[in-house]
């Protein structure tokens, strides 16, 4: 699993970190970052939920 945030789309709502803080963190400027770009499959459900709940559709997941 390859997880990315498209920084040009991210508006910093922080939903991603609220759903899966192991993979996503909001940085000091308030924007989402991926701290674990190749997470274990056990996090797949949380990562998918974060991606589908991002208000800007800024998260992409490649399986
Ligand atoms: S939920 Fe989406 S818009 Fe919000 S911080 Fe995360 S990637 Fe950015």
């Amino acid at each position: 699993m390859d997880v990315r945030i498209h920084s040009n789309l991210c508006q910093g709502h922080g939903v991603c970190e609220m759903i899966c803080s192991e993979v996503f963190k909001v940085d000091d400027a308030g924007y989402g970052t991926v701290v674990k770009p190749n997470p274990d499959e056990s996090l797949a459900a949380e990562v998918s939920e974060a991606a589908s709940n991002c208000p800007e559709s800024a998260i992409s997941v490649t399986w």
Side-chain angles (χ1 to χ4, degrees):
M1 184 174 21
D2 183 68
V3 185
R4 293 169 196 226
I5 289 177
H6 299 281
S7 54
N8 56 319
L9 298 176
C10 174
Q11 295 296 316
H13 304 280
V15 176
C16 50
E17 181 179 331
M18 280 190 273
I19 294 174
C20 186
S21 59
E22 266 192 74
V23 173
F24 304 101
K25 290 276 184 252
V26 174
D27 67 14
D28 292 342
Y31 292 99
T33 60
V34 177
V35 293
K36 192 182 279 188
N38 301 112
D40 191 84
E41 291 297 317
S42 62
L43 291 169
E46 281 185 24
V47 168
S48 292
E49 190 184 343
S52 58
N53 282 283
C54 171
E56 309 299 332
S57 300
I59 299 170
S60 68
V61 183
T62 307
W63 303 91

CSV table of all heavy atoms in Angstrom, one decimal:
chain,number,residue,atom,x,y,z
A,1,MET,N,0.8,-1.2,0.0
A,1,MET,CA,0.0,0.0,0.0
A,1,MET,C,0.9,1.2,0.0
A,1,MET,O,1.8,1.3,0.8
A,1,MET,CB,-0.9,0.0,1.3
A,1,MET,CG,-1.9,1.0,1.4
A,1,MET,SD,-3.0,0.9,2.8
A,1,MET,CE,-2.3,-0.1,4.0
A,2,ASP,N,0.6,2.1,-0.9
A,2,ASP,CA,1.4,3.4,-1.0
A,2,ASP,C,0.4,4.6,-0.8
A,2,ASP,O,-0.6,4.7,-1.5
A,2,ASP,CB,2.0,3.4,-2.4
A,2,ASP,CG,2.8,4.6,-2.6
A,2,ASP,OD1,3.9,4.7,-2.0
A,2,ASP,OD2,2.4,5.5,-3.4
A,3,VAL,N,0.7,5.4,0.2
A,3,VAL,CA,-0.2,6.4,0.6
A,3,VAL,C,0.4,7.8,0.3
A,3,VAL,O,1.6,8.0,0.7
A,3,VAL,CB,-0.6,6.3,2.1
A,3,VAL,CG1,-1.6,7.4,2.5
A,3,VAL,CG2,-1.1,4.9,2.5
A,4,ARG,N,-0.3,8.7,-0.3
A,4,ARG,CA,0.2,10.0,-0.6
A,4,ARG,C,-0.9,11.1,-0.3
A,4,ARG,O,-2.1,10.8,-0.4
A,4,ARG,CB,0.6,10.1,-2.0
A,4,ARG,CG,1.8,9.3,-2.4
A,4,ARG,CD,1.9,9.2,-3.9
A,4,ARG,NE,2.8,8.1,-4.2
A,4,ARG,CZ,3.8,8.1,-5.0
A,4,ARG,NH1,4.1,9.2,-5.7
A,4,ARG,NH2,4.6,7.1,-5.2
A,5,ILE,N,-0.4,12.2,0.1
A,5,ILE,CA,-1.3,13.4,0.1
A,5,ILE,C,-0.8,14.4,-0.9
A,5,ILE,O,0.4,14.7,-1.1
A,5,ILE,CB,-1.2,14.1,1.5
A,5,ILE,CG1,-1.9,13.2,2.6
A,5,ILE,CG2,-1.9,15.5,1.5
A,5,ILE,CD1,-1.8,13.8,4.0
A,6,HIS,N,-1.8,14.8,-1.7
A,6,HIS,CA,-1.5,15.8,-2.8
A,6,HIS,C,-1.6,17.2,-2.1
A,6,HIS,O,-2.6,17.7,-1.8
A,6,HIS,CB,-2.5,15.7,-3.9
A,6,HIS,CG,-2.4,14.3,-4.6
A,6,HIS,ND1,-1.4,14.0,-5.5
A,6,HIS,CD2,-3.1,13.2,-4.4
A,6,HIS,CE1,-1.6,12.7,-5.8
A,6,HIS,NE2,-2.6,12.2,-5.2
A,7,SER,N,-0.4,17.7,-1.9
A,7,SER,CA,-0.3,19.0,-1.1
A,7,SER,C,-1.0,20.1,-1.7
A,7,SER,O,-1.4,21.1,-1.1
A,7,SER,CB,1.2,19.3,-0.7
A,7,SER,OG,1.9,19.3,-1.9
A,8,ASN,N,-1.1,20.1,-3.1
A,8,ASN,CA,-1.8,21.2,-3.7
A,8,ASN,C,-3.3,21.1,-3.5
A,8,ASN,O,-4.0,22.2,-3.7
A,8,ASN,CB,-1.5,21.1,-5.3
A,8,ASN,CG,-1.9,19.8,-5.9
A,8,ASN,OD1,-1.7,18.7,-5.3
A,8,ASN,ND2,-2.5,19.8,-7.0
A,9,LEU,N,-3.8,20.0,-3.0
A,9,LEU,CA,-5.3,19.9,-2.7
A,9,LEU,C,-5.6,20.0,-1.2
A,9,LEU,O,-6.6,20.5,-0.9
A,9,LEU,CB,-5.8,18.5,-3.2
A,9,LEU,CG,-5.7,18.3,-4.7
A,9,LEU,CD1,-6.2,16.9,-5.0
A,9,LEU,CD2,-6.5,19.3,-5.5
A,10,CYS,N,-4.6,19.6,-0.4
A,10,CYS,CA,-4.9,19.6,1.1
A,10,CYS,C,-5.2,21.0,1.6
A,10,CYS,O,-4.4,21.9,1.3
A,10,CYS,CB,-3.7,19.0,1.8
A,10,CYS,SG,-3.8,19.1,3.6
A,11,GLN,N,-6.3,21.1,2.3
A,11,GLN,CA,-6.6,22.4,2.9
A,11,GLN,C,-6.5,22.4,4.5
A,11,GLN,O,-6.9,23.3,5.1
A,11,GLN,CB,-8.1,22.8,2.5
A,11,GLN,CG,-8.2,23.1,1.1
A,11,GLN,CD,-7.4,24.3,0.6
A,11,GLN,OE1,-7.4,25.3,1.2
A,11,GLN,NE2,-6.7,24.1,-0.5
A,12,GLY,N,-6.0,21.3,5.0
A,12,GLY,CA,-5.6,21.2,6.4
A,12,GLY,C,-6.7,21.0,7.4
A,12,GLY,O,-6.6,21.4,8.5
A,13,HIS,N,-7.7,20.3,7.0
A,13,HIS,CA,-8.8,20.0,7.9
A,13,HIS,C,-8.5,19.1,9.0
A,13,HIS,O,-9.1,19.1,10.1
A,13,HIS,CB,-10.0,19.4,7.2
A,13,HIS,CG,-10.5,20.3,6.0
A,13,HIS,ND1,-11.3,21.4,6.2
A,13,HIS,CD2,-10.2,20.2,4.7
A,13,HIS,CE1,-11.5,21.9,5.0
A,13,HIS,NE2,-10.9,21.2,4.1
A,14,GLY,N,-7.5,18.2,8.8
A,14,GLY,CA,-7.0,17.3,9.9
A,14,GLY,C,-7.8,16.1,10.1
A,14,GLY,O,-7.6,15.3,11.0
A,15,VAL,N,-8.8,15.8,9.2
A,15,VAL,CA,-9.6,14.6,9.3
A,15,VAL,C,-8.8,13.4,9.2
A,15,VAL,O,-9.0,12.4,9.9
A,15,VAL,CB,-10.7,14.6,8.2
A,15,VAL,CG1,-11.5,13.3,8.2
A,15,VAL,CG2,-11.6,15.8,8.3
A,16,CYS,N,-7.8,13.4,8.4
A,16,CYS,CA,-6.9,12.2,8.2
A,16,CYS,C,-6.2,11.8,9.5
A,16,CYS,O,-6.3,10.6,9.8
A,16,CYS,CB,-5.9,12.5,7.1
A,16,CYS,SG,-4.9,14.0,7.3
A,17,GLU,N,-5.7,12.7,10.2
A,17,GLU,CA,-5.0,12.4,11.4
A,17,GLU,C,-6.0,11.9,12.5
A,17,GLU,O,-5.7,11.0,13.2
A,17,GLU,CB,-4.2,13.6,12.0
A,17,GLU,CG,-3.5,13.3,13.3
A,17,GLU,CD,-2.7,14.4,13.9
A,17,GLU,OE1,-2.2,15.3,13.1
A,17,GLU,OE2,-2.6,14.4,15.1
A,18,MET,N,-7.2,12.5,12.5
A,18,MET,CA,-8.2,12.1,13.5
A,18,MET,C,-8.6,10.6,13.2
A,18,MET,O,-8.9,9.9,14.2
A,18,MET,CB,-9.5,13.0,13.4
A,18,MET,CG,-9.3,14.3,14.1
A,18,MET,SD,-10.9,15.2,14.2
A,18,MET,CE,-10.9,16.1,12.6
A,19,ILE,N,-8.6,10.2,12.0
A,19,ILE,CA,-9.0,8.8,11.7
A,19,ILE,C,-7.9,7.8,11.8
A,19,ILE,O,-8.1,6.7,12.3
A,19,ILE,CB,-9.6,8.8,10.2
A,19,ILE,CG1,-10.9,9.6,10.2
A,19,ILE,CG2,-9.9,7.3,9.8
A,19,ILE,CD1,-11.6,9.7,8.8
A,20,CYS,N,-6.7,8.2,11.4
A,20,CYS,CA,-5.6,7.3,11.4
A,20,CYS,C,-4.3,8.0,11.7
A,20,CYS,O,-3.5,8.4,10.8
A,20,CYS,CB,-5.5,6.6,10.0
A,20,CYS,SG,-4.2,5.3,10.0
A,21,SER,N,-4.0,8.2,13.0
A,21,SER,CA,-2.8,9.0,13.4
A,21,SER,C,-1.5,8.3,13.2
A,21,SER,O,-0.5,8.9,13.3
A,21,SER,CB,-3.0,9.5,14.8
A,21,SER,OG,-3.1,8.4,15.7
A,22,GLU,N,-1.6,7.0,13.0
A,22,GLU,CA,-0.3,6.2,12.7
A,22,GLU,C,0.2,6.6,11.4
A,22,GLU,O,1.4,6.4,11.1
A,22,GLU,CB,-0.6,4.7,12.8
A,22,GLU,CG,-0.3,4.1,14.1
A,22,GLU,CD,-0.3,2.6,14.0
A,22,GLU,OE1,0.6,2.0,13.5
A,22,GLU,OE2,-1.3,2.0,14.5
A,23,VAL,N,-0.6,7.0,10.4
A,23,VAL,CA,-0.2,7.2,9.1
A,23,VAL,C,-0.2,8.7,8.7
A,23,VAL,O,0.7,9.2,8.0
A,23,VAL,CB,-1.1,6.5,8.1
A,23,VAL,CG1,-0.7,6.9,6.6
A,23,VAL,CG2,-0.9,5.0,8.3
A,24,PHE,N,-1.1,9.5,9.3
A,24,PHE,CA,-1.2,10.9,9.0
A,24,PHE,C,-1.0,11.8,10.2
A,24,PHE,O,-1.4,11.5,11.3
A,24,PHE,CB,-2.6,11.2,8.4
A,24,PHE,CG,-3.0,10.4,7.3
A,24,PHE,CD1,-3.9,9.2,7.4
A,24,PHE,CD2,-2.6,10.7,6.0
A,24,PHE,CE1,-4.2,8.5,6.3
A,24,PHE,CE2,-3.0,9.9,4.9
A,24,PHE,CZ,-3.8,8.8,5.1
A,25,LYS,N,-0.3,12.9,9.9
A,25,LYS,CA,-0.1,13.9,10.9
A,25,LYS,C,-0.3,15.3,10.3
A,25,LYS,O,0.1,15.5,9.2
A,25,LYS,CB,1.3,13.9,11.5
A,25,LYS,CG,1.6,12.7,12.4
A,25,LYS,CD,1.2,12.9,13.8
A,25,LYS,CE,1.6,11.7,14.6
A,25,LYS,NZ,0.4,10.8,15.0
A,26,VAL,N,-0.9,16.2,11.1
A,26,VAL,CA,-0.9,17.6,10.6
A,26,VAL,C,0.3,18.3,11.0
A,26,VAL,O,0.8,18.2,12.2
A,26,VAL,CB,-2.2,18.3,11.3
A,26,VAL,CG1,-2.2,19.8,10.9
A,26,VAL,CG2,-3.5,17.6,10.8
A,27,ASP,N,1.0,18.9,10.1
A,27,ASP,CA,2.3,19.6,10.4
A,27,ASP,C,2.1,20.9,11.0
A,27,ASP,O,1.0,21.4,11.3
A,27,ASP,CB,3.1,19.7,9.1
A,27,ASP,CG,2.6,20.6,8.1
A,27,ASP,OD1,1.7,21.4,8.4
A,27,ASP,OD2,3.0,20.6,6.9
A,28,ASP,N,3.2,21.6,11.3
A,28,ASP,CA,3.2,22.8,12.1
A,28,ASP,C,2.4,23.9,11.3
A,28,ASP,O,1.9,24.9,12.0
A,28,ASP,CB,4.6,23.3,12.4
A,28,ASP,CG,5.3,22.4,13.4
A,28,ASP,OD1,4.6,21.6,14.1
A,28,ASP,OD2,6.5,22.4,13.5
A,29,ALA,N,2.4,23.8,10.0
A,29,ALA,CA,1.6,24.8,9.2
A,29,ALA,C,0.2,24.4,9.1
A,29,ALA,O,-0.6,25.2,8.5
A,29,ALA,CB,2.3,24.9,7.8
A,30,GLY,N,-0.2,23.3,9.6
A,30,GLY,CA,-1.6,22.9,9.6
A,30,GLY,C,-2.1,22.0,8.5
A,30,GLY,O,-3.3,21.8,8.3
A,31,TYR,N,-1.1,21.5,7.7
A,31,TYR,CA,-1.4,20.7,6.6
A,31,TYR,C,-1.1,19.2,6.9
A,31,TYR,O,-0.2,18.9,7.6
A,31,TYR,CB,-0.7,21.2,5.3
A,31,TYR,CG,-1.2,22.5,4.9
A,31,TYR,CD1,-0.5,23.7,5.2
A,31,TYR,CD2,-2.3,22.6,4.1
A,31,TYR,CE1,-0.9,24.9,4.8
A,31,TYR,CE2,-2.8,23.9,3.7
A,31,TYR,CZ,-2.1,25.0,4.0
A,31,TYR,OH,-2.6,26.2,3.7
A,32,GLY,N,-1.9,18.4,6.2
A,32,GLY,CA,-1.7,16.9,6.4
A,32,GLY,C,-0.4,16.4,5.8
A,32,GLY,O,0.0,16.9,4.7
A,33,THR,N,0.3,15.5,6.5
A,33,THR,CA,1.5,14.9,5.9
A,33,THR,C,1.3,13.4,6.2
A,33,THR,O,0.6,12.9,7.1
A,33,THR,CB,2.8,15.4,6.6
A,33,THR,OG1,2.7,15.1,8.0
A,33,THR,CG2,3.0,16.8,6.4
A,34,VAL,N,2.0,12.6,5.4
A,34,VAL,CA,2.0,11.2,5.5
A,34,VAL,C,3.3,10.8,6.3
A,34,VAL,O,4.4,11.0,5.8
A,34,VAL,CB,2.0,10.4,4.2
A,34,VAL,CG1,2.1,8.9,4.3
A,34,VAL,CG2,0.7,10.8,3.4
A,35,VAL,N,3.2,10.2,7.5
A,35,VAL,CA,4.4,9.8,8.2
A,35,VAL,C,4.7,8.4,8.0
A,35,VAL,O,5.8,7.9,8.4
A,35,VAL,CB,4.2,10.2,9.7
A,35,VAL,CG1,4.1,11.7,10.0
A,35,VAL,CG2,3.0,9.5,10.3
A,36,LYS,N,3.8,7.6,7.5
A,36,LYS,CA,4.1,6.2,7.2
A,36,LYS,C,3.5,5.9,5.8
A,36,LYS,O,2.4,5.4,5.7
A,36,LYS,CB,3.4,5.3,8.3
A,36,LYS,CG,3.9,3.9,8.3
A,36,LYS,CD,3.2,3.1,9.3
A,36,LYS,CE,3.9,3.2,10.7
A,36,LYS,NZ,3.3,2.3,11.7
A,37,PRO,N,4.3,6.1,4.7
A,37,PRO,CA,3.8,6.0,3.4
A,37,PRO,C,3.5,4.6,2.9
A,37,PRO,O,2.7,4.4,2.0
A,37,PRO,CB,4.8,6.7,2.5
A,37,PRO,CG,6.0,6.8,3.3
A,37,PRO,CD,5.6,6.7,4.8
A,38,ASN,N,4.1,3.6,3.6
A,38,ASN,CA,3.8,2.2,3.2
A,38,ASN,C,3.4,1.4,4.4
A,38,ASN,O,4.1,0.5,4.9
A,38,ASN,CB,5.1,1.6,2.6
A,38,ASN,CG,5.6,2.3,1.4
A,38,ASN,OD1,6.7,3.0,1.4
A,38,ASN,ND2,4.9,2.3,0.3
A,39,PRO,N,2.2,1.8,4.9
A,39,PRO,CA,1.7,1.1,6.2
A,39,PRO,C,1.4,-0.3,6.0
A,39,PRO,O,1.1,-0.8,4.9
A,39,PRO,CB,0.5,1.9,6.5
A,39,PRO,CG,0.0,2.5,5.3
A,39,PRO,CD,1.2,2.7,4.4
A,40,ASP,N,1.4,-1.0,7.1
A,40,ASP,CA,1.0,-2.4,7.1
A,40,ASP,C,-0.4,-2.6,6.7
A,40,ASP,O,-1.2,-1.7,6.9
A,40,ASP,CB,1.3,-3.0,8.5
A,40,ASP,CG,1.2,-4.5,8.6
A,40,ASP,OD1,2.2,-5.1,8.3
A,40,ASP,OD2,0.1,-5.0,8.9
A,41,GLU,N,-0.7,-3.8,6.1
A,41,GLU,CA,-2.1,-4.0,5.7
A,41,GLU,C,-3.1,-3.9,6.8
A,41,GLU,O,-4.3,-3.7,6.5
A,41,GLU,CB,-2.2,-5.4,5.0
A,41,GLU,CG,-1.4,-5.6,3.7
A,41,GLU,CD,-2.0,-4.7,2.6
A,41,GLU,OE1,-3.2,-4.6,2.5
A,41,GLU,OE2,-1.2,-4.0,1.9
A,42,SER,N,-2.7,-4.1,8.0
A,42,SER,CA,-3.6,-4.0,9.1
A,42,SER,C,-4.2,-2.6,9.3
A,42,SER,O,-5.2,-2.5,9.9
A,42,SER,CB,-2.9,-4.4,10.4
A,42,SER,OG,-1.8,-3.5,10.7
A,43,LEU,N,-3.6,-1.7,8.6
A,43,LEU,CA,-4.1,-0.3,8.7
A,43,LEU,C,-4.9,0.1,7.5
A,43,LEU,O,-5.4,1.2,7.3
A,43,LEU,CB,-2.9,0.7,8.8
A,43,LEU,CG,-2.2,0.7,10.2
A,43,LEU,CD1,-0.9,1.5,10.1
A,43,LEU,CD2,-3.1,1.2,11.3
A,44,ALA,N,-5.2,-0.9,6.6
A,44,ALA,CA,-5.8,-0.6,5.3
A,44,ALA,C,-7.2,0.0,5.5
A,44,ALA,O,-7.6,0.9,4.8
A,44,ALA,CB,-5.9,-1.9,4.5
A,45,ALA,N,-8.0,-0.5,6.5
A,45,ALA,CA,-9.3,0.0,6.7
A,45,ALA,C,-9.3,1.4,7.1
A,45,ALA,O,-10.1,2.3,6.6
A,45,ALA,CB,-10.1,-0.9,7.7
A,46,GLU,N,-8.4,1.8,8.0
A,46,GLU,CA,-8.3,3.1,8.5
A,46,GLU,C,-7.8,4.1,7.4
A,46,GLU,O,-8.3,5.2,7.3
A,46,GLU,CB,-7.4,3.2,9.7
A,46,GLU,CG,-8.0,2.8,11.0
A,46,GLU,CD,-7.0,3.0,12.2
A,46,GLU,OE1,-6.1,3.9,12.1
A,46,GLU,OE2,-7.2,2.3,13.2
A,47,VAL,N,-6.8,3.6,6.7
A,47,VAL,CA,-6.3,4.5,5.6
A,47,VAL,C,-7.4,4.8,4.6
A,47,VAL,O,-7.6,5.9,4.1
A,47,VAL,CB,-5.1,3.8,5.0
A,47,VAL,CG1,-4.7,4.5,3.7
A,47,VAL,CG2,-3.9,3.9,5.9
A,48,SER,N,-8.2,3.7,4.2
A,48,SER,CA,-9.3,3.9,3.3
A,48,SER,C,-10.3,4.8,3.8
A,48,SER,O,-10.9,5.7,3.1
A,48,SER,CB,-9.9,2.5,3.0
A,48,SER,OG,-9.1,1.7,2.3
A,49,GLU,N,-10.6,4.7,5.1
A,49,GLU,CA,-11.6,5.6,5.7
A,49,GLU,C,-11.1,7.1,5.6
A,49,GLU,O,-11.9,8.0,5.3
A,49,GLU,CB,-11.9,5.2,7.1
A,49,GLU,CG,-13.1,5.9,7.7
A,49,GLU,CD,-13.3,5.5,9.2
A,49,GLU,OE1,-12.8,4.5,9.7
A,49,GLU,OE2,-14.0,6.3,9.9
A,50,ALA,N,-9.8,7.2,6.0
A,50,ALA,CA,-9.3,8.6,5.9
A,50,ALA,C,-9.4,9.2,4.5
A,50,ALA,O,-9.7,10.3,4.3
A,50,ALA,CB,-7.8,8.6,6.4
A,51,ALA,N,-9.0,8.4,3.5
A,51,ALA,CA,-9.0,8.8,2.1
A,51,ALA,C,-10.4,9.2,1.7
A,51,ALA,O,-10.6,10.2,1.1
A,51,ALA,CB,-8.4,7.8,1.2
A,52,SER,N,-11.4,8.4,2.1
A,52,SER,CA,-12.7,8.7,1.6
A,52,SER,C,-13.4,9.8,2.4
A,52,SER,O,-14.4,10.4,1.9
A,52,SER,CB,-13.6,7.4,1.6
A,52,SER,OG,-13.7,6.9,2.9
A,53,ASN,N,-12.8,10.1,3.5
A,53,ASN,CA,-13.4,11.2,4.3
A,53,ASN,C,-12.7,12.5,4.2
A,53,ASN,O,-13.1,13.5,4.8
A,53,ASN,CB,-13.5,10.8,5.8
A,53,ASN,CG,-14.7,9.9,6.1
A,53,ASN,OD1,-15.8,10.3,6.1
A,53,ASN,ND2,-14.4,8.6,6.2
A,54,CYS,N,-11.6,12.5,3.5
A,54,CYS,CA,-10.8,13.8,3.3
A,54,CYS,C,-11.7,14.8,2.5
A,54,CYS,O,-12.1,14.4,1.4
A,54,CYS,CB,-9.5,13.6,2.5
A,54,CYS,SG,-8.7,15.1,2.0
A,55,PRO,N,-12.0,15.9,3.0
A,55,PRO,CA,-13.0,16.8,2.3
A,55,PRO,C,-12.5,17.3,1.0
A,55,PRO,O,-13.2,17.8,0.2
A,55,PRO,CB,-13.1,18.0,3.3
A,55,PRO,CG,-12.6,17.5,4.6
A,55,PRO,CD,-11.6,16.4,4.3
A,56,GLU,N,-11.2,17.3,0.8
A,56,GLU,CA,-10.6,17.8,-0.5
A,56,GLU,C,-10.2,16.6,-1.4
A,56,GLU,O,-9.6,16.9,-2.5
A,56,GLU,CB,-9.4,18.6,-0.2
A,56,GLU,CG,-9.6,19.7,0.9
A,56,GLU,CD,-10.7,20.7,0.5
A,56,GLU,OE1,-10.8,20.9,-0.8
A,56,GLU,OE2,-11.3,21.3,1.3
A,57,SER,N,-10.5,15.4,-1.1
A,57,SER,CA,-10.0,14.2,-1.9
A,57,SER,C,-8.5,14.3,-2.2
A,57,SER,O,-8.1,14.1,-3.3
A,57,SER,CB,-10.8,14.1,-3.2
A,57,SER,OG,-12.2,14.0,-2.9
A,58,ALA,N,-7.8,14.7,-1.2
A,58,ALA,CA,-6.3,14.9,-1.4
A,58,ALA,C,-5.5,13.7,-1.1
A,58,ALA,O,-4.3,13.7,-1.3
A,58,ALA,CB,-5.9,16.1,-0.5
A,59,ILE,N,-6.1,12.6,-0.6
A,59,ILE,CA,-5.3,11.4,-0.3
A,59,ILE,C,-5.5,10.4,-1.4
A,59,ILE,O,-6.6,10.1,-1.8
A,59,ILE,CB,-5.8,10.8,1.1
A,59,ILE,CG1,-5.6,11.9,2.2
A,59,ILE,CG2,-5.1,9.5,1.4
A,59,ILE,CD1,-6.3,11.5,3.5
A,60,SER,N,-4.4,9.8,-1.9
A,60,SER,CA,-4.5,8.7,-2.8
A,60,SER,C,-3.8,7.5,-2.2
A,60,SER,O,-2.8,7.6,-1.5
A,60,SER,CB,-3.9,9.1,-4.2
A,60,SER,OG,-2.5,9.3,-4.1
A,61,VAL,N,-4.4,6.4,-2.5
A,61,VAL,CA,-3.9,5.1,-2.0
A,61,VAL,C,-3.8,4.2,-3.2
A,61,VAL,O,-4.7,4.0,-3.9
A,61,VAL,CB,-4.9,4.5,-0.9
A,61,VAL,CG1,-4.3,3.2,-0.4
A,61,VAL,CG2,-5.2,5.4,0.2
A,62,THR,N,-2.5,3.6,-3.3
A,62,THR,CA,-2.3,2.6,-4.4
A,62,THR,C,-2.1,1.3,-3.7
A,62,THR,O,-1.3,1.2,-2.8
A,62,THR,CB,-1.0,3.0,-5.2
A,62,THR,OG1,-1.2,4.4,-5.6
A,62,THR,CG2,-0.9,2.1,-6.4
A,63,TRP,N,-2.8,0.3,-4.2
A,63,TRP,CA,-2.7,-1.1,-3.6
A,63,TRP,C,-1.8,-1.9,-4.4
A,63,TRP,O,-1.6,-1.8,-5.5
A,63,TRP,CB,-4.1,-1.7,-3.5
A,63,TRP,CG,-5.1,-0.8,-2.8
A,63,TRP,CD1,-5.9,0.1,-3.3
A,63,TRP,CD2,-5.3,-0.8,-1.4
A,63,TRP,NE1,-6.6,0.7,-2.3
A,63,TRP,CE2,-6.3,0.2,-1.1
A,63,TRP,CE3,-4.8,-1.5,-0.3
A,63,TRP,CZ2,-6.7,0.5,0.2
A,63,TRP,CZ3,-5.2,-1.3,1.0
A,63,TRP,CH2,-6.2,-0.3,1.2
B,1,LIG,S1,-8.1,15.4,5.7
B,1,LIG,FE1,-7.4,15.9,3.6
B,1,LIG,S2,-7.5,18.1,3.5
B,1,LIG,FE2,-7.5,17.5,5.7
B,1,LIG,S3,-5.4,17.5,6.4
B,1,LIG,FE3,-5.8,15.5,5.7
B,1,LIG,S4,-5.2,15.4,3.6
B,1,LIG,FE4,-5.4,17.5,4.1
